[in-house]
Amino acid sequence: MKPDDPLLRILACPLDKGPLHLLPEEALYNPRLRRRYPIVDGIPQLLPSSGEQVSDEEHEELLRRMTP
């Protein structure tokens, strides 16, 4: 999945239905809930059980990487 993929505009977090951010390591991130969802073989894994909670430190690092 690439940053300009039109699919990114319609994908939403399964928990809060808000937008997700593409991370370089093939994952989607919801900064509001601090949950990361993997992308496996180009397919986003967006089941609530697929997401993992990130630590406070990792959240701060992800926010820095998301800011242009």
Side-chain angles (χ1 to χ4, degrees), residues 8 11-23 25 27-38 45-48 51-55 58-60 62-63 66:
L8 280 174
L11 289 178
C13 175
L15 298 175
D16 74 355
K17 311 301 186 236
L20 296 165
H21 299 273
L22 181 64
L23 299 175
E25 64 272 6
L28 294 168
Y29 186 59
N30 177 342
R32 298 168 307 284
L33 299 179
R34 298 181 180 196
R35 292 189 64 81
R36 178 178 39 217
Y37 296 93
Q45 307 298 305
L46 294 176
L47 293 173
E52 68 174 348
Q53 200 73 30
V54 301
S55 68
E58 189 171 7
H59 172 70
E60 293 301 322
L62 292 172
L63 288 179
M66 288 173 16

